[in-house]
Amino acid sequence: MYKSVRLYFVAIFSMLAYGVFAQSKPGIEHITSNNGLSHNTIRYIIQDKTGFMWFASLNGLSRFDGVNIRTFNPESKNPNSLSSGKIKKLFLDSYGHVWVRTYSDIMHCYDPQTENFIEISDNPADRFIKHNLFYEDKQGAIWLSSVADGCDKIEFVEKTIRKTTFSTQSKIPLPSNSVNDVFQDSKSNIWIATSKGYVQLNDNKLVAKSK
């Protein structure tokens, strides 16, 4: 008798579980330019910490909140806007910033709190440096690497932005301005690999370099 009662309850729970999962089937929504998307060719998709979906397209950057779509495009009178509407890739850092890489390899940083793109350099000429690599270390510093201009370390310190550039002309010179990769090891050392060798840093101080 106990066995039959136990089987009865197992059957009841199984039916209830099936009913719950049957009612929660995921839906599929097809979003196109007819719904406000900036372009039907999407190169990259990410979701930020607030739940917004971001779409990198060939005609601007689109943000979708589940109902409405907002598109960001270059603005001629706004130097902090996108330099190009052709977006190649998107990155999300630990602060919630959305980093945008255009097809021209120009990096832009979008701050969701201010809903604006923020200036990451005081020098207007630096806005057009081509960065092809993005890396965030354990301390939250952003490393942007270039094939011709070394690499930049971006730090967000008390609502201010601190940029340190590493190149063949910097205080700690790189073997080459062509940077292939940036990596942080288990001891928090930063390795900058260039086309002609490497340097190893810790807290912006030189630890080792290739001979």
Side-chain angles (χ1 to χ4, degrees):
M1 178 178 177
Y2 291 110
K3 184 175 181 180
S4 62
V5 171
R6 184 172 59 187
L7 290 174
Y8 173 78
F9 278 111
V10 169
I12 292 295
F13 287 133
S14 298
M15 286 188 291
L16 288 174
Y18 176 79
V20 170
F21 286 113
Q23 293 176 8
S24 59
K25 289 183 179 179
I28 298 176
E29 184 177 359
H30 189 203
I31 304 172
T32 69
S33 57
N34 294 329
N35 306 107
L37 203 61
S38 57
H39 199 277
N40 286 332
T41 301
I42 304 299
R43 294 303 188 192
Y44 212 83
I45 302 174
I46 63 169
Q47 184 177 27
D48 67 19
K49 293 184 176 182
T50 60
F52 288 134
M53 299 298 299
W54 293 83
F55 303 91
S57 83
L58 295 180
N59 189 33
L61 175 68
S62 292
R63 186 188 70 184
F64 182 51
D65 62 6
V67 178
N68 300 308
I69 296 176
R70 179 183 176 185
T71 297
F72 301 86
N73 278 304
E75 303 173 25
S76 58
K77 295 183 179 181
N78 182 3
N80 290 336
S81 67
L82 292 173
S83 59
S84 170
K86 292 185 177 182
I87 312 300
K88 180 185 293 186
K89 199 169 183 180
L90 302 174
F91 309 90
L92 186 69
D93 67 24
S94 59
Y95 299 96
H97 300 127
V98 177
W99 291 80
V100 182
R101 178 185 173 190
T102 71
Y103 265 81
S104 301
D105 288 336
I106 306 298
M107 287 283 193
H108 297 274
C109 180
Y110 179 84
D111 186 353
Q113 293 186 350
T114 62
E115 295 195 343
N116 287 303
F117 289 94
I118 57 179
E119 185 64 71
I120 58 177
S121 176
D122 294 330
N123 187 355
D126 291 347
R127 297 173 184 166
F128 300 101
I129 291 179
K130 297 179 182 294
H131 293 106
N132 61 319
L133 291 175
F134 173 97
Y135 180 76
E136 181 175 6
D137 65 27
K138 300 170 186 176
Q139 288 70 42
I142 307 299
W143 295 80
L144 304 177
S145 304
S146 169
V147 295
D149 295 286
C151 67
D152 293 323
K153 178 183 180 182
I154 310 296
E155 299 172 277
F156 298 94
V157 183
E158 297 180 355
K159 297 183 179 181
T160 62
I161 298 176
R162 179 191 302 158
K163 190 187 81 160
T164 306
T165 298
F166 295 91
S167 69
T168 56
Q169 303 298 319
S170 60
K171 185 177 180 180
I172 300 177
L174 299 182
S176 168
N177 282 334
S178 180
V179 177
N180 297 324
D181 200 7
V182 176
F183 175 76
Q184 187 174 37
D185 63 25
S186 59
K187 296 181 180 179
S188 295
N189 295 312
I190 292 290
W191 297 73
I192 303 176
T194 76
S195 60
K196 295 183 179 180
Y198 71 88
V199 295
Q200 181 184 359
L201 308 173
N202 193 301
D203 195 22
N204 289 354
K205 296 181 177 62
L206 181 64
V207 177
K209 63 179 181 179
S210 56
K211 298 180 180 179

